[in-house]
Structures are given as structure tokens and as C-alpha cells.
Amino acid sequence: MSTEVTKYSGDVTYHEVNETVLSMLEKPTFGWYVLLLTCICTWVMGFGCWISMMIYGLGMTGLSHPIMWGVYITNFVFWVGIAHSGTLISAVLYLFRAKFRQPIYRLAEAMTVFAVMTAGLFPIIHVGRPWYAYWLMPVPNERALWPNFKSPLLWDVFAVSTYFTVSTTFFIVGLIPDIASARDKATSKFRKLLYGITSLGWTGNAKQYKNYVAAYLIFAALATPLVVSVHSVVSWDFAMSIIPGWHATIFPPYFVAGAIFSGVAMVITLVIPLRKVFKLERIITDFHFDAMCKLILLTSGVVTYAYVTEFYVAWFSNNMFERYQFWFRPFGEFKLAFWGMAFCNCMAPLTLWYKPFRTNIAYLFVMSIIINIGMWLERFNIIFTSLARDFIPAAWGGYNFSWIDVGITIGAFGWFGMWMTLFIKFFPSIAIVEVKEVIEAPVRDPHSSVHHH
Amino acid sequence: MLGLISLKFLRNNRYYPFAMLLVLFCGALVGNLSAEDAAGYQSVGKRAGVWNDGQAALWDLNIIDHFHYFGPVARARGHKPEQPIKFSHVTHVQKNKMECQFCHWTSAKSPYAAIPEVQTCMGCHSLIGGTTPEQQGEIAKIKDYYAKGEPIPWAKVHVMPDYVKFNHKRHVKAGVGCQECHGQIQEMEQVERVSSMKMGWCIDCHRERGANIDCAVCHH
Amino acid sequence: MQKKSLTILGQNENIESEGLSRRSFLKVLGAATATTAVACADKADQIIYPNVKGDATQIPGVPSWYSSTCTQCDAGCGVNYKTYEGRVTIVEGNKSHPINKGGLCAIGHSALQDHYDPDRVRQPLEKDSNGVFQPITWKAAYTKIKQAMVDNSKRAFLTKPLNGSLEKLVAEWSKDVGVEHYTYEPLDYSQLAKATAAVYGANYNGVPHYDFSKAEVVVNFGADFLETWISPCEFSRDWAKSRKSKKPVRVFQVEPRLSLTGANADHHLKCKPGTELLIAKAILKELLSRGKNNLPASLLGELEVSLAGISIDVVAKLSNLKIEKIVSAAQRLAEAKTSLVIAGGASAKTNNEYDLQVVCALINRVLGNVGQTINLDRLRAVKSDFQKVKSLIAEINDNKYSVLFVDGSNPLFTIPSDYKFGLAIKKLDLVVSFASHLDETTKEANLVLPASSSIESWGDHQPYVGVNSLVQPAMTPVFDTVSLGDMLLKLTTNEALKKFPEFQDYLKAQWQQVHASAGVAENFETFWKKSLERGGYFAEQKSVAQLGALGAVIVTAKLDMASFDSTKIQQKSDLVLLPYASVKTFDGRAANRPWMQELPDPITKIAWDTWAEINTKTAEAKKIKTGDLVKISNYYGELNVPAYVTDHVDENVIAVPLGNGHSDFGRYASSVGGGNVYNLIPSDKADHLQLFTAHVELKRALGKRKVANTQDVKDSDKQGDRGIARTTYIETKVPGEHKENHEEHGAHHEPEQMYIQREHPLYQWGMVVDLAACTGCSACVTACYAENNIPTVGRKIMTEGREMSWLRLERYDDGTSEDLQISFIPAMCQHCQNAPCEPVCPVYATYHNEDGLNVMVYNRCVGTRYCANNCVYKQRRFNWYEYELPEPLDMQLNPEVMKRVAGVMEKCSFCVHRIKDAKDHAKDEGRLVADGEVQPACVKSCPTEALVFGDLNDPNSRVSKLAKHERAYKILDHHLNTQPSVSYLDNLKYKA
């Protein structure tokens, strides 16, 4: 038993878990401030780009006729995708009792919440008149006009906002006990107050714990369908249209798989530096990376399958427009994007079949970034190439590169990074309670002077 | 940055809604309309109907109508600009029993109910000099406008945004009374905008009378 | 808006002071201008300026129409000006005018932007000692001129060809003030006129009237009769009439460069430059041998002798054409009952143009086309005399002249520099310009007296006998300008002329004669009023011309091989410059109009730029690719223009459109560089400007230029088997095309519909476009810009692919230069019944209304741009920026259509405001809208009536009948079931 248990996380003790995790909340180092400042500067820069875009018009972007959707929607889908794995890991794997999730799910959830916050910005940045974006909300108004419930964009509004609400609540519920233990350890007045309020008076007695587990289960059950639904709805933005390369029934599963794929990769990207900086090697072990890599292998496979299917269907449909589109992707103007995507999402992950790679942290870090690039390129591919060449040749066009697009894209990472940075300093980014669930319960030893919680 | 934004906002009304939203998002909730204000807003023009059976009142009165305080005053209900000549509808319509279309002769002929030509005023006022010294003063003004061959720069009371193509002719021909939109104009010493003339208000009446509510009728 | 109305007010004051009191009822703009003249954002407090004086005919907000005549070229098309409160907002063709019968070309539409040009001269100017123009009063200007007139030095007046009463006035005025009158235009028809006189008799010295509708076969040596040649609207209309008929006219186009006319021809014979004459001779010989010898026997003999030297295979070799092509042309001519052989255009302007014209005239005579397709009673007089102009220049250079008057025709730009006019004009003591722009010529003037545009002034025009067309002002002058006629009357010393206070009175005096000759019952005043309403007085006259003797011809026309190859091309490397008149800028007069600059050239699809069409082989040899800057130079000058590599131009020819490369003219014209093409043309002895004689060097200059080309993406001009613009080939059942056409016709099989179809209780508006009649002239595009306040975005934004045109004229080029398959298709929003754009809009900014229109509500649009992505036809345009118009161009804006703000989507609305207007009238009269009552701007503009608009609900309407035509199809409908409201009819072409 004990060996079986220790497998899930390094042979750490309850005490050690508390120590390591809560030590992460100690007084910020200079490095942390630098990181935070960098993030803030980045997103302020991005915000600047947006403002200038609003003042001078959307012509500042690289968009044009006929490529009316571009980098912003690409980013939107990318970030929504990132947002996925959080809930997947915390909710779905929780229901499946997949034990490797414990030490990483908190971070994944945080990532989810912040990623949705980032994704949510892009539709607003994207529209021509953001000051009227609220017309998409079904609010009663004097015009007696309702939004068009047939429009996939509206479904998006609902899907994403629902997802945000649920995942946030789920996240907060999960936090309660750990905040409590942080509260007990807190020294500074501010933190005492902060944790005091946010821990909602958690004492950890059996009754509370029972309710807590129940609530957590319910939310997990609530969140699970959303994992599938949200990205399916996002994929309908494309699938419901008539454009060759978009109008495909495979999109929902394809997008969901892709989302998990990129999400897990993002988790790895975040966990590795965290683990290094805060010395969590004994809590987050090779075993966890190995498990995540397997998940990546699976989803990479699904994604690759989807790509192949798209091409097959294009050929099989004998539809000249589809065929041209899928000839254009690998050999046309944007072929780099396509081959980049193929390399990053289909070929590179194959190396993970080889176990030593799965446990080589440095390699994984690089790989995870490659995958994220690949997934960004995938969305780029779907959006740009499909729009660039559709039915009427005379209307075909290209995309004008623009620094505004780049600025806003980078700014989004700054925005996301800022929240993450703040989070890891103010809240335990590893679920103490749940980690404890999977490590060996301490044997009462009269000689031991160590006192546990 | 903020300087830039505000500059642009002040320069172009188009940005007021956004400014407003920004303010709201920042959490500074700009004062809600007091109950009686709201009531006043709802009893628009002659028909004291609440737009869309009140479903809109909450939202629009509190948020959208607030733009008037930021945006163009001319678009707000109760707009009552100073006129170059103190023209009194009371005197002309009530006392002297003049028909509206005697002066506003294009109101049933054209999409735009034009202000009468200076010549039209002179038609009577070349003979009628006014009784009180105040009136005489005002009428004198007309005379020298006419003499100089200059138009009278009337301040516009019912300003429609450019994206509304309102056809005055059709409404008059459909038998819509002046008062239904312009209020009890015959009782106004100085003309005031009594209707918000917002879309919901139009639609409301169009629905009630079974008139066309196709967007393209007014927006093109 | 306030400012705008005040400008007009100011103008009126000025005119008052000039004593021009006409249209004083327009004195002040009505309330409507102040209230509804377009504005993007609603201003906070607005001011209403009522009229001072009332006028029952001028109801604010109700447009009033004025018929007049287009003076953009000498064709003399009738036009109607639509005015709102004294602002002309659009110009349209006059339905009742015999020349154009309702259509109007792109340049005709763009006249408005010339009229509202922000770069127009706004008041009289005088050049001070530092060579800077300073404003002066009219009185001062007149006195200065009068002072200059007293001495007895020689004075000249150089104008473009004038017409009607103005011409008469100029003649009288010149006589009494002692001024020599010279007339010049670069693209003249002097050779055609001479040849006509030579072949048909001396009394027919002019341009005959051609009737393309009656001809069965047309052999055309480079005459661009669908673009700018003589009377394009009229010719296009006749041509289209025949193309639409059961037996369409078959056109052979012989020219070294593919023109728009050539692209519409059935057979394009891409010959070597200058060999047209040989081909013509070969055809003549062939015809004679086929027994077509409708000539006096004595002459026949002579002809045969002189043609003996011509052998068809040699001709074929020299002209680089297949023998059978030439033979088939001759054969078709021989077989045809009626036919027409014409020559003209830039590619004919070589030093053997006269011979070519003579031979063509001979062929026509041999075939007996005179009286059939050629009407000699409707001669257009040719006024420009280049010989005289050259002598004038010479005399000026010898200091024989002291004063020169010039009108707005900008001769300094259009006379090649080698003729030394530039030097001459500097030698004069006083140069008075009546131009409305500070163009190249006016820059040299000492005094500028800006003439009013033809929209602001009186006049008349007699293109040919029987057509007396009136020019009347539709609004008070925008600036402080006076019409040329009025100026001359002010400057005259002649008592006879002095008794006319205004040119209007002079004009009326002239029209007394028209009234007399008309022999109508009504008195002059009613006749005058009626003529004004009608746009002129048009008499019917038929009489068959008596052909004169044919003596001189044989002598004058060198019919042997000797006169071969004017451009003296020895070997392949020799390059000749072909400066051709484009539908965009013509000879340069339309260069400062944003609409014309933004209009993509129908053949190359290039806008906002000038370019050089270079043959693929030539380009390869020089390592030149499309977009590379090339240096085209010879002894006289050089051009630096981007290259456009194409197969449709001969290897020895570099074709460059005329008109761009202005140094001074206005902001738009001078923004397009490149250099003046005219200046490369060498001077010679000829009595007309020989455009096509300049030998040039071609070099690849450094760098590339991102050309604003709306169809420059790879393969975007190949439709492959997408069946967008379709062609049915007559007489030849090519298995693929013909079969396919018929099974795919939407009209033939109504697909089973899964969903509930839309109800259209009253109307269902729809359009039919007959591709057989569409020439690709792009008039519709410009008309749409004018009617719908579409912003012109300028070169840079256009290179980013962000043009705003609601109507895209697509050009597909699927064939090779050998077998042409060029098709043009005007594509606007198709107003689909299953519109893909509608369901995806999250805020209902676009939706389908009861009339079957796909409505776009700009002010509801948030700008998600999903609709544009999902639009199958890619007809939606997004406002990437907000575009401002420089004053007074904004006076042209149509108050019926809102100006769109940045961040919203826009698209073709089928001119929904016109539909609304028609319904409004119908409602007043308690009836339904009649068929043909609503005509969107594009439909109204089309010179060939290729576009038809109407109610598809009404089975008897023209449009619903045509929609069931056997050639009818709907783009992509059979693929996507979008059910467009726009049907297209296959193009018709002869295969062989």
C-alpha cells in the first residue's frame, strides 16, 4: 500500500507538504517583482495598441477583405483552448479518480480562470465598435431589439461566460481549505485579513469537510459537461459557416481534443519553472509529467487524425472549393503556417513515445512550448487560409502584417502572466489537502515531536 | 493614453457610449434617475405609454438616456434652445388661429418639414408690426433679416441623427397629429422637445397603428 | 453642415455682385441641407437656414432634375442632374436623348467630381512678379485683358474643339477683338474625316455615323468604340442591341494590344504594330477576288493593279497572324449581308493612319455598307487642326504673337514636348487661361479667369445634324467662377455682341434658328422650355447620301507594299510605345477625380496608378516581373512606371495608358507619378498627332511598386470550372461548356427546398445582368460610388485590399492570348433568399425584409465581421477607417444615404432609398410601384442596358421574364442553394 501511495508524489510527509507549499507564499523576492512588472508593462503596451486601434480605426490591424477575422479570433480560440485542460484535470480527472492530478490541478484551474479572462478580451478587441459590444447581451432595451439567437457568436457569448462563472466558482471552492491553512500560518496583517475573509471561516472540522467534498463533487459534475461544450460551441463559430475549410462536422471533437492538447502543454510550461523555483521536485515528480505526456500523446493523436480526416473529406467530397482550399493550405501563401502546425502538433509529440523524453524536464519544457506554438498556428491555419481563398477568385486576398496585432497578442500573455504571478504569491498554487490525500498518512509516533495540523 | 482617449471622446460623440460604459465598468455608477425623472421620461409626447410596456424602462432610462448628459444635449428630451427671434406659437396658433401648414407648408409635401421662408413671415409682418414693444422689436429683426437677404438662423429643436431617415410627409398623410410627436406646441412660447424620439418610442407607435416596422424604412 | 450652407450663401453673394441673377431662388439652401445633408456624427446643436425667398418648385428635401448635355467628350450624350437644395448629387443619362438613350459612361458620371473638385481655381488669379498667383477681382481681370487687347500685336486663342453656340460666339468674338482661333485635341479623327471625304466624296468631310446594331460582321482595326472612340455610349448601346438579339454581331478586332473592346470581340487578331494597313489591304484584295466589286469598273482595274503586290501569306508573316484568321475575316465580310469595317484608336495613330482609313472606307464602299451601317448624313465635323496649331507654335517661337488665350484643355500636357509648345508659351507677353484648374498650362499663364463647369453654365451641342442638345446650369457656381461665354461677352467690343448681357441670351438668339428650322407650331418660349425639359431638340431625318466620285483615292492612298510598317520595326528587340486612352482618365482630363483614379482598369484591374503593359516574352528577356519599376525612355523623355506583364500585348509594344503623370493639376492627379506619356512622342510633319510612333528603350529600374490592383492575387483571374461568369459559344457545341451551362442553369431546375421558403407578399426585388451586353466599361461602378456616398480610400489603403466599392467588376481570363476567354461580370450583393450572412449576425444588423432585400442596418452594426466572412460572393465591405472628403467634394454626397462610420459593415442595398422613394410616390397615387419605376444607380447608368431591375413577384415584369430566360443562371446557386435575387445571362461568343 504505502509504496503504491508514495508513487503519486514523492515520499513527502504532511508536514513537509505544508511547509513547502506555504513557503511559496512568503515575502516576494526581487525576481518576483521583476516578473510582475514585466507582465504589467507588456499588457499595458497591448492596451495601448488597442486604444490606438480604436482611435484610428481597425485599419491598424492586418485584417483586410476578405480576411475579416485574423489574429484576434486566433488568440481568442487559442486562449479558450488553454482554458480547457484546467477544468479537465480538476473536474474530469477528479471524477475518474486519476490520482496524478492532485499536485497540478490547482495550478491548472488558476490557469483556466485567467486564460478565460484573457480570451474574453479578444471578442471585444476584435469588433469594429467595441462600445456597442453590449448589444450582444440579451438585455431588455428601449429599441425592443433582441440579439439574434441563431448566431453562433451569441452562443459563444453564453458558452464562454458560463464556463467562466462555473470554473471560477469551482476554483474558489477548491481553494477554501488551503487558504485556511495559509491563514493559520499568516503573519502579516494584510494576509491575515485576506485569508481570513477568503477562507470563509474554514476550521477543517469533519462536518465542514464533508460538505466541502460534496460541494466539490457537485461542481466537478457541473464543470465536466462544460469541458466538452465550450470548445464545441467555439468550434461552431466556424463549423456553422459556409466557408470551405470551416464548414465541417468534425470541428467540435477536433477542437476539444486540440484544446486539451494545448491546455496540458500550457500546464507543463507553467509547472516546470514553478517546480524549479519553489523546489517542489518532491511533490511534483516525474510520474506526473509522465502522465501528462501520455495525455498529450493521446490528444496529439486525435488532432492529427482530425487533420487527416479534413483532407480526406475534402478529396472525397469532390467539391472543387473544398479541394482548392485543402490544396492551398499545404502549398499556398500560408504554407509555412501549415507545415509549422504539422510539425509541432503531429511530428514533434511523437518523440514522447520514448519514456526517457517523457521524464526529461528540460526537453518537456521545450516540447510544451513547441506544442503551444503549433496550436496557435492551427487556429491561424483554419481562420486565415479558409478566408483567403473561398468561392469567388476575384475576391481573393491576403493579410497585411501589422505591429498592432503583434502588440495585442503579446499584451495578452502579459495580462495572463500578471494574474498568474499574483496568484502564486497570494494563494497556495498546490492543493495541500488533496496532495495529503494521496500521501502516506503519518503514523502516530510517541517519540516524534512533530505536530501535525 | 487616457488623455488621448478623452480627447477623442470629447471630439466625437460616437465615443460617448463607450466613455459611459468605461465609467460604469470602473464602478463609478453615475447617479440613477430619480423616480419622478423616470416617470417624466416615460410619459413622452402625447401618448403616456411606457415604451415596450416598460420592459425597457429600467435599462434604458438608467444607462442609455444618461448619454444625453454626456452626449449631444440636442438629442435629449427637454431640449429648449434660445431662438434668434422670440417666435411664439401661442400668439400665432392660439390667438390668431393659424393652421400649422400655413407656415410649415412643406410638412405634407417633403420628407423634411422645413422652417418657413423669411418671405413667408414677411407675408403678414410687412403689414403687422406687433402690439407690445417687445413684439415690435422681434418683428423688426425679421424685417432687417429680410432686407439683408439673409436667412434667420433658427436653432434646431428636433435633431435626428443622420442614420434616421424620417419621412415627415408620410406621417402627416397618415393623419398623425403634430401634437403626437411635438407635444402641445400651440401652448409653447419657446419650442421644446417633449419626445425623446428614441427608436423604441417610434416602434411603439408603429406597432400600435400597424405601420411598417422594417428597419430599412428609416435606416439606409 | 452649417459651414457648407454658408459657403453656398457666400457664393450666391458673389454671383449677385457679378449680376448673374438666374436661379436666385436657389439663393440660400433650404432647411433640409442644414438638417439632412450627410454627416457622420450628429452634431450637438444644429442651425436651420430657411430660404429667404420662397419657390414652390423648390421644396427642401424633394430633389429637382435638370436635363443637360455631357461635355466630357464630344459625343454629346444627354444627362440629367439630380439636385437637392441646389447641390447636384448625381448625374445620370437622359432617357429621351437620341445619342445615349439613358446610359452614361464612367467619365460622364465623374464629371461631378470635376465640378466639386477641391483643387479648382476659386477666384480670378494674377501672377505677381515672383511668379506666385494672387487673387484679383473680376473687374480688374477684365480691364487687364482689355488693356492687352488695344495694341495691334497678334493674339491667339487655343481651345479644345468647341461646339454649338459657344463655337459661334468664339468665332465672332475672335474676329472682332482680333484673335486667331486654334483648335487642338490629341485624339482627333482628322484622318478618318479626310479618308471619308476622299472615298465618299469631298462634301463628306467628317466622321460618319456608324450603326453597329445593323451590322452582322464588324472588322475593327483598333477602334475602341466601347471605350472612348467617337461616341462610346451610343456605339455600346447599338453593339449590345445586336449582341442581345437572335443573331449577334460578330466582331473581329485587329490590334497589337488587347483593348476592352478587343476583350469583348469574338476574334482578337493580335497583329504586329503598324501592320493593320497590310491586313486591311489583304482583306480588300480577298474581297475583290470574291467578287465583291461594288465599284465603277474603271476604278476596279486600278485597284487590282495597285493591290497586286499584296500577298496574303506575306501579310500573315509580317503581321504575325495565321493566314486563316485573315481569310476568315474576309470571308465573313463577304458572306454578311451588312457589315462594317472601321479603324481608329491609339494603335491606328501611326503615320499610315490615313491610308488605313482610306482602305477601310474602300472596303465599306466595296461591300456597300454606306446607307446600311454607315450614315453619311450624320457627319460629325472634325474641328481640331494640328497643322495650324503647329504653325501657331512656330510663330510664337518667332515672337510673332504677344497674347495667348487658352481654355481648360491643358495643351501643354497633351502636346508632346518635342513640338516646343513649352518654350513657346514662355515667350508670350500675356497668357490668359480660362482653365478651372492650375494645370500644366495654367501654371504658365499670367492671368487665370476660372471658367464655370458645364454644370454651372449655359451652352448647347450639335454632335451631328438633327441633334440639338442643350447645356443648362443645374446649380449656382460652387466657386467665384464665370462661364466662358459670359466672359467673352464681357470682353467683347462688338456692339452686336454687347446687346447680349449674358451668354444665355446669346444662346436663345441662336436657338431662334433651331426653332425656325424645327417648324413646330408652339412659339419660341414654349419651344425653349420644352427643349430645356427634354434636354434639347431632336429632329428625325432620313435621306440616303449620294456617293461622290472616287477619283483621288487611288492616288492618295498608297495601296502597295511600300507603305508597310510605319513604326519601322526591324528586329524583335525594337520596342514601340503605345499610349492608349483608358476608360479611367481618357486623354488626361479625368485624372484629378478620385472616382476615376480608384476605378480599377477593366483589363488590368489596376487603380490609382499608371502602368506599362509588357509582353511576357519581352519581360522575361529583361527579367521584369509584374510590379517591378521599369524605365521607359527615349531621346525625348522617360517614364518610370510599374510593369504589368501580360500576353495580351505584342512583343514589340509597350502599352501605357494616357492621362496620368501630371506634374500640376490637383492633389489626386499629381499623387500618381510615372511621367507624362505624351512627352515621349517625337514631332513630325504629319497633320495629326501620331501617338503610336515613339521608339523606346525598356530598362528594369530599381525597386518594385506595390500597385493597387484589385485582382493581383495568384490565380484570382482564373475562374476555372467554377462557372461564375459563363459563356455560351454560338454555332459550336463544345461538349463541356455547352452541356454544363444547361444543366447548371438555376432557372431550369428549381431544386427541392427542405426549409420553408420566404414569403414576399408585395414585392420581391431582383436583378438580371445580361453578360452578352456587359462590356466591362465600369460605368455602373462609378455610378454606385456617386449614389451611395462610397468613400474613395486612396492608393495605399487600396493596396491593402480595403477598397469600398459596392459593385465589383470581376475580370476572368481563362484562355490564352491565342484563344481568348476573357469575361467580365459585374457582381454586387446578390440579395440571397437564403443569405448566409443573415443568420450569423449576432445583433440583426443584417436581415431579410419582406421585399426580398438583404438589408444592412449600419447603425445597428457592431462590427463582428462574421457576415463578411460568411458571404459567399464576398460583397461586403468593412469601414476600416473613417474617410473624410475635402470640401467641397462633400457637397456631392447624397442626403438619402447615410455616411457610414468606422467599424461598421456596408454593402449594396439595391439602392433601397430609391425603392422607398418609388413606393412613396406610388402610395401618394394609391397604386403599386410600376415596372421600371425603380432603377438603382448601376442599372440606370448602364449604357447597354445589360442590367435590368424590377419586381420578381410580378410575372409580367421585364426582370421576371428575363430571369426565366434560357441563358439565365445564378452564381453558385447550384452549389450552395443561396437563392440569389440576381440572375445572370450567359455571355454569347462566336467560337470560330
Side-chain angles (χ1 to χ4, degrees), chain B residues 8 11-15 71-75 79 81 105-120 122 145-167 169-170 173 199 212-220, chain C residues 9 13 27-28 31-32 34-62 84-85 844 847 849-851 853 855-859 882 884 894-899 901-902 912-913 916 919-921 923-924:
Chain B
K8 182 66 180 178
R11 229 199 71 234
N12 189 339
N13 293 332
R14 197 172 77 245
Y15 290 92
V73 185
R75 294 277 305 286
H79 176 46
W105 59 282
T106 64
S107 55
K109 288 191 174 67
S110 157
Y112 318 121
I115 298 296
E117 296 83 0
V118 188
Q119 198 182 21
T120 317
M122 290 304 289
Y145 271 119
Y146 188 68
K148 277 186 282 166
E150 278 178 19
I152 306 168
W154 296 105
K156 207 156 184 288
V157 178
H158 298 91
V159 181
M160 277 281 160
D162 176 51
Y163 50 78
V164 181
K165 304 293 179 201
F166 174 79
N167 189 335
K169 168 186 164 186
R170 282 262 72 82
K173 290 206 171 188
M199 183 171 142
N212 195 338
I213 53 168
D214 181 6
C215 313
V217 168
C218 299
H219 303 302
H220 51 72
Chain C
L9 212 157
E13 294 314 320
K27 201 156 165 332
V28 181
T35 60
T36 66
V38 287
C40 31
D42 49 339
K43 301 282 171 295
D45 41 8
Q46 300 178 355
I47 297 185
I48 313 178
Y49 293 95
N51 288 342
V52 174
K53 293 192 171 60
D55 180 335
T57 66
Q58 292 290 310
I59 302 173
V62 179
Y84 283 92
E85 294 90 51
Y844 277 122
Y847 71 100
N849 79 353
E850 279 192 332
D851 294 359
L853 293 176
V855 180
M856 177 72 213
V857 185
Y858 311 118
N859 47 308
E882 197 155 326
E884 307 277 323
N894 179 357
E896 296 292 314
V897 182
M898 75 176 272
K899 194 168 170 296
V901 298
V912 63
H913 53 284
K916 185 180 161 188
K919 281 180 172 175
D920 190 44
H921 288 136
K923 213 168 188 175
D924 290 346

Side-chain angles (χ1 to χ4, degrees), chain A residues 29-83:
Chain A
T29 58
F30 176 71
W32 182 84
Y33 283 112
V34 173
L35 182 63
L36 185 65
L37 201 67
T38 332
C39 292
I40 291 174
C41 294
T42 325
W43 84 256
V44 166
M45 178 271 300
F47 187 72
C49 295
W50 182 38
I51 294 298
S52 64
M53 190 177 87
M54 274 197 296
I55 290 174
Y56 299 110
L58 251 70
M60 303 280 284
T61 69
L63 299 171
S64 174
H65 309 123
I67 302 185
M68 293 272 191
W69 284 3
V71 169
Y72 301 144
I73 299 298
T74 308
N75 288 337
F76 168 70
V77 182
F78 175 76
W79 282 107
V80 174
I82 297 293

Side-chain angles (χ1 to χ4, degrees), chain C residues 240-273:
Chain C
K241 203 166 135 210
S242 164
R243 294 297 282 193
K244 284 188 251 179
S245 69
K246 284 273 163 290
K247 198 169 187 327
V249 55
R250 176 196 291 267
V251 181
F252 292 82
Q253 182 90 352
V254 188
E255 58 185 1
R257 168 209 168 248
L258 179 83
S259 63
L260 180 58
T261 315
N264 284 290
D266 302 279
H267 313 288
H268 188 255
L269 284 66
K270 196 178 78 188
C271 66
K272 282 277 164 208

Side-chain angles (χ1 to χ4, degrees), chain C residues 825-847:
Chain C
I825 175 164
M828 67 294 294
C829 170
Q830 305 283 309
H831 291 268
C832 318
Q833 300 308 303
N834 294 345
C837 57
E838 285 162 11
V840 298
C841 176
V843 293
Y844 277 122
T846 186
Y847 71 100

Side-chain angles (χ1 to χ4, degrees), chain C residues 445-502:
Chain C
N446 316 76
L447 264 181
V448 186
L449 279 69
S452 299
S453 75
S454 66
I455 300 175
E456 302 158 332
S457 37
W458 283 99
D460 59 350
H461 194 89
Q462 277 92 19
Y464 46 71
V465 185
V467 178
N468 309 295
S469 200
L470 269 169
V471 180
Q472 70 169 318
M475 68 182 282
T476 48
V478 183
F479 300 119
D480 182 6
T481 59
V482 176
S483 77
L484 183 55
D486 287 311
M487 279 192 248
L488 297 181
L489 287 172
K490 282 260 185 317
L491 288 169
T492 186
T493 53
N494 181 337
E495 289 313 314
L497 290 179
K498 273 217 169 100
K499 72 172 194 287
F500 301 110
E502 283 181 35

Side-chain angles (χ1 to χ4, degrees), chain C residues 22-26 55 57-59 62-69 78-94 454-455 458 470-476 531-535:
Chain C
R22 193 181 173 279
R23 284 220 185 324
S24 54
F25 55 72
L26 291 183
D55 180 335
T57 66
Q58 292 290 310
I59 302 173
V62 179
S64 39
W65 292 81
Y66 298 99
S67 1
S68 183
T69 310
V79 293
N80 295 330
Y81 299 117
K82 188 183 196 180
T83 66
Y84 283 92
E85 294 90 51
R87 299 180 298 126
V88 179
T89 60
I90 190 170
V91 43
E92 291 184 339
N94 178 353
S454 66
I455 300 175
W458 283 99
L470 269 169
V471 180
Q472 70 169 318
M475 68 182 282
T476 48
S531 308
L532 277 180
E533 280 167 20
R534 217 185 292 116

Side-chain angles (χ1 to χ4, degrees), chain C residues 105-110 113 260 582-586 590 593-609 611 660 708-710 776-785 791-795 798 803-805 807-809:
Chain C
C105 72
I107 291 179
H109 280 94
S110 72
Q113 286 202 322
L260 180 58
S582 80
V583 292
K584 274 161 65 73
T585 47
F586 192 22
R593 305 172 191 173
W595 288 342
M596 295 325 271
Q597 290 291 1
E598 186 125 335
L599 178 69
D601 174 74
I603 295 291
T604 61
K605 287 290 152 199
I606 295 174
W608 280 106
D609 235 319
W611 63 92
N660 273 328
N709 185 327
T710 56
C777 72
S778 306
C780 45
V781 180
T782 315
C784 185
Y785 269 86
T792 50
V793 301
R795 195 179 153 280
M798 220 166 160
E803 73 276 6
M804 297 303 291
S805 172
L807 204 167
R808 178 178 59 230
L809 201 110

